Amino acid sequence: MRVDKIALSGWRNYEWESVEFSGGTNVITGSNAQGKTNLLEAVYMLSAGRSFRTRFDREIVGFDFSSAELIADVYAHDRAQTIQITIRPGQAKKILVNGVRKTAGELAGTVNTVLFCPDDLNLIKEGAAVRRRLLDNAISQIRPKYAELLGEFNRLYEHKTRILKDWHEKPSLLDTLDEFSDALCRISAQLIRYRAAFTARLDEAAAPIHKEFSGEGEELKIRYQTVSTVTDPFAPAREIYYEICEHQEKHRQAELDSEQCLTGAHKDDLEIFINGRSARSFASQGQTRTAALSLKLAEREIFLDETGEYPILLLDDVLSELDDARQAFVLNRIGGGQTLITCCEDEDISRRTGGKVLFVEKGRIR
């Protein structure tokens, strides 16, 4: 699985630029604020149909441009494809795969990527939203149906939240509250089953990586946490739905009082333990970084097991945040697939990986 070539027009600070990548390691170097992460953002968008840096596509469109466009030649699942994404402020994003119109959900799975950026080093200590995003980004790529369900869940959640915020001024809004609550319970049941299954795979894949990585035989354990009334997240969706409805019924008045949605998959989290103790509460900075790296490398192994191909690995200025031992561990495990690494200084990394070096300066690549 690889991106052979990508062309950008009006994409952040790229007026017009194209670049060909090696099928192995690519080291993208240059000073800060030159466009290195912008290039990785474009590659990531091929798999997710959205940015990992902003919720608003309009921010991708460069100054003095009316639109942003990328065209990429990719090879995945034993065939070559061309992906074209066009963003125009005020209009729906246009995605074409081999000339056929697709939604962002339908794009999922065309190309797979695993992104690791400096913020991910804190995913053990940060709030639950960061860990849910890890689950959502990964599952959406290997289960396109999940991406569709997640999009519908987010739409319903926003509607219900507005009802809870505004019902005091417009009581008639409560006429539809239970309808939205029921729909959220139904979709939550399906999301929970997907997340529980992926968490089990992540737990299995990350444990041996972390044990080797820590050098001390540390035991990493990952446990899925969801709505408190759900007794078995692997049960049929109908059973989970009934249990979520029980939680919803108990918390309906609390939702009205707090003006917040209290029932649903938006409260899910991953509990991470090192040697039986909560990593979030007790782990050192070194331990949490090792655990975060283990999760990302495990995600890559799951994609390989699922598709038979390594996903494209995107390392966005993350190696500079690691000590020499952790750098070496990561670099020793990235063989077998395409990797794009951004950094400010390339000499040592390019030498250690034997990768192709691309220099970025003011939105130009050479």
Side-chain angles (χ1 to χ4, degrees):
M1 190 172 294
R2 64 183 188 268
V3 179
D4 292 323
K5 183 177 181 179
I6 193 167
L8 305 174
S9 175
W11 193 277
R12 293 197 185 266
N13 70 327
Y14 289 99
E15 294 184 4
W16 167 255
E17 191 60 274
S18 65
V19 61
E20 295 183 4
F21 296 114
S22 160
T25 301
N26 298 266
V27 180
I28 303 165
T29 185
S31 301
N32 290 327
Q34 301 301 304
K36 302 187 300 294
T37 299
N38 296 343
L39 182 58
L40 255 62
E41 177 184 43
V43 175
Y44 178 85
M45 204 159 194
L46 298 173
S47 65
R50 55 180 173 75
S51 169
F52 64 85
R53 303 162 73 191
T54 178
R55 292 176 54 198
F56 306 106
D57 289 337
R58 63 177 180 271
E59 295 181 6
I60 295 172
V61 180
F63 292 115
D64 299 325
F65 279 82
S66 60
S67 65
E69 184 175 48
L70 73 80
I71 302 175
D73 293 330
V74 305
Y75 188 85
H77 313 300
D78 296 322
R79 59 174 176 160
Q81 300 187 81
T82 298
I83 301 173
Q84 181 178 352
I85 300 176
T86 305
I87 298 170
R88 288 188 173 86
Q91 298 183 25
K93 178 166 47 195
K94 184 178 181 181
I95 301 173
L96 300 176
V97 178
N98 292 339
V100 179
R101 189 78 177 253
K102 301 284 186 180
T103 65
E106 291 169 338
L107 179 65
T110 304
V111 176
N112 300 137
T113 63
V114 171
L115 169 71
F116 196 19
C117 58
D119 287 346
D120 290 323
L121 290 170
N122 300 316
L123 69 85
I124 307 299
K125 294 281 190 179
E126 290 289 335
V130 175
R131 292 178 289 280
R132 281 197 303 275
R133 186 161 58 244
L134 180 149
L135 290 174
D136 292 341
N137 290 344
I139 303 171
S140 292
Q141 292 188 58
I142 57 177
R143 296 289 183 268
K145 177 65 175 178
Y146 180 88
E148 296 176 16
L149 289 169
L150 185 63
E152 180 63 7
F153 178 90
N154 291 334
R155 185 189 69 82
L156 293 167
Y157 175 80
E158 290 176 6
H159 276 291
K160 181 176 176 179
T161 299
R162 284 199 295 270
I163 292 172
L164 292 170
K165 294 288 186 184
D166 299 339
W167 75 270
H168 293 287
E169 297 179 5
K170 193 174 181 181
S172 62
L173 288 173
L174 293 181
D175 294 342
T176 60
L177 177 62
D178 290 340
E179 179 182 340
F180 279 105
S181 294
D182 183 73
L184 279 171
C185 289
R186 291 183 183 277
I187 293 181
S188 289
Q190 297 180 72
L191 295 179
I192 285 168
R193 295 186 78 248
Y194 277 113
R195 288 174 175 175
F198 186 84
T199 301
R201 297 180 71 178
L202 191 65
D203 176 52
E204 181 180 5
I209 294 174
H210 184 86
K211 192 169 186 176
E212 178 186 354
F213 202 169
S214 65
E216 300 175 1
E218 290 182 349
E219 298 289 339
L220 181 71
K221 185 69 180 174
I222 306 168
R223 187 168 65 197
Y224 178 55
Q225 184 180 53
T226 187
V227 180
S228 60
T229 52
V230 174
T231 56
D232 180 8
F234 297 96
R238 179 179 292 274
E239 293 180 20
I240 298 173
Y241 161 69
Y242 289 138
E243 292 179 331
I244 300 173
C245 286
E246 177 186 346
H247 187 278
Q248 175 62 62
E249 184 177 351
K250 291 178 179 178
H251 290 79
R252 187 180 191 278
Q253 187 59 49
E255 288 187 332
L256 293 172
D257 294 340
S258 65
E259 301 180 352
Q260 295 181 27
C261 183
L262 302 178
T263 298
H266 61 290
K267 294 287 188 179
D268 290 357
D269 197 3
L270 293 178
E271 293 182 291
I272 299 168
F273 301 89
I274 297 176
N275 292 338
R277 305 181 75 193
S278 168
R280 190 178 185 195
S281 300
F282 299 106
S284 67
Q285 183 186 66
Q287 286 178 313
T288 58
R289 289 190 167 196
T290 299
L293 286 163
S294 299
L295 290 178
K296 284 295 181 177
L297 292 172
E299 184 182 340
R300 184 172 182 255
E301 294 301 319
I302 291 171
F303 280 23
L304 173 63
D305 182 62
E306 184 72 28
T307 68
E309 302 175 81
Y310 275 116
I312 301 165
L313 182 61
L314 308 176
L315 300 178
D316 185 24
D317 201 25
V318 72
L319 293 178
S320 63
E321 301 290 327
L322 304 177
D323 57 31
D324 290 343
R326 290 183 175 85
Q327 277 193 21
F329 187 86
V330 172
L331 292 176
N332 287 336
R333 293 189 70 100
I334 62 176
Q338 187 179 53
T339 302
L340 277 61
I341 304 172
T342 65
C343 59
C344 288
E345 299 294 336
D346 79 279
E347 290 83 358
D348 191 46
I349 293 176
S350 62
R351 178 185 60 79
R352 291 160 70 184
T353 63
K356 178 179 181 178
V357 178
L358 301 167
F359 184 77
V360 179
E361 184 177 23
K362 296 180 180 179
R364 304 293 297 179
I365 306 171
R366 56 179 173 83

